[in-house]
Amino acid sequence: LATIDSGIETIGVALGAEAEATTLRTEIKSTLDQIRAAVEPFERPKVFIVMSRERGDLSNLQTVGGGSFISELVTIAGGDNIYEEEKSPYLEASKETLLIREPDVILEIHAGSTFTENQTVALLSDWRFLDSLPAWKGKRIYFFTDSLMMRPGPRVPEIAKQIARKLHFDAQLPE
């Protein structure tokens, strides 16, 4: 997120629009702070973030470590990435590690994809092989298809709100 902030500043300077860039940076920070505050009273679930996987298969699970903007947004939205300690932004996760770390919530990001209801059911059904996971038992596996999810830029507060709505549906999030 710091890179996004500095990028907005750099673009503002290059375009001679420093005041507009400062306003945008302030708005982004303020909205992210409001999201943090809205979810602060809630218990923080352990979250597994799926960035990529094959349909019908859980053997090639790609996730994110603490070095990714998505992981930062999950933290802001009131969750704890179970791979936060990994500094590599992207890595492969194992089913065995999932069983050990027991995520409460699984967020699958399929940015820009469109699924039929049957395809979504099939994606969800793949997780039945790890039916001891709290996320499976609690029916807290969510799919995000909005292309915005993989665009680190000025709309990161929108991504954080989408995540927060899944993690803490009772939270009073900013508009």
Side-chain angles (χ1 to χ4, degrees):
L1 294 177
T3 303
I4 295 168
D5 184 67
S6 67
I8 293 169
E9 179 182 32
T10 300
I11 291 168
V13 169
L15 297 176
E18 292 94 339
E20 292 87 346
T22 298
T23 298
L24 178 59
R25 292 170 61 215
T26 301
E27 288 172 2
I28 291 169
K29 182 183 181 319
S30 173
T31 304
L32 293 175
D33 287 345
Q34 290 172 40
I35 294 167
R36 264 190 209 96
V39 300
E40 203 277 323
F42 297 93
E43 186 175 325
R44 299 181 67 83
K46 295 184 290 183
V47 179
F48 176 53
I49 306 160
V50 179
M51 298 305 293
S52 173
R53 73 172 175 98
E54 297 297 319
R55 292 182 195 170
D57 188 9
L58 295 179
S59 60
N60 187 18
L61 295 165
Q62 300 300 309
T63 190
V64 294
S68 98
F69 85 100
I70 291 289
S71 184
E72 286 182 82
L73 293 177
V74 165
T75 300
I76 289 167
D80 294 321
N81 176 4
I82 63 170
Y83 282 93
E84 179 66 27
E85 80 284 353
E86 300 290 336
K87 295 309 168 198
S88 174
Y90 301 97
L91 60 140
E92 187 169 343
S94 72
K95 290 180 282 194
E96 294 78 14
T97 303
L98 288 178
L99 292 170
I100 293 167
R101 296 185 183 182
E102 300 182 307
D104 302 305
V105 177
I106 296 172
L107 306 177
E108 281 205 42
I109 299 173
H110 299 271
S113 297
T114 303
F115 300 125
T116 65
E117 186 175 335
N118 287 342
Q119 289 170 322
T120 302
V121 168
L123 282 169
L124 182 60
S125 179
D126 293 341
W127 289 99
R128 73 187 180 286
F129 297 111
L130 296 177
D131 62 358
S132 67
L133 293 179
W136 173 264
K137 290 178 182 178
K139 297 181 179 168
R140 299 206 58 202
I141 301 172
Y142 305 108
F143 301 96
F144 295 91
T145 58
D146 189 338
S147 63
L148 174 67
M149 297 300 288
M150 285 305 299
R151 292 189 185 160
R155 296 191 300 174
V156 291
E158 290 307 312
I159 301 168
K161 280 190 249 183
Q162 286 185 38
I163 294 168
R165 284 185 191 106
K166 298 299 183 187
L167 300 182
H168 306 290
F169 59 89
D170 286 342
Q172 298 298 311
L173 299 170
E175 294 296 318

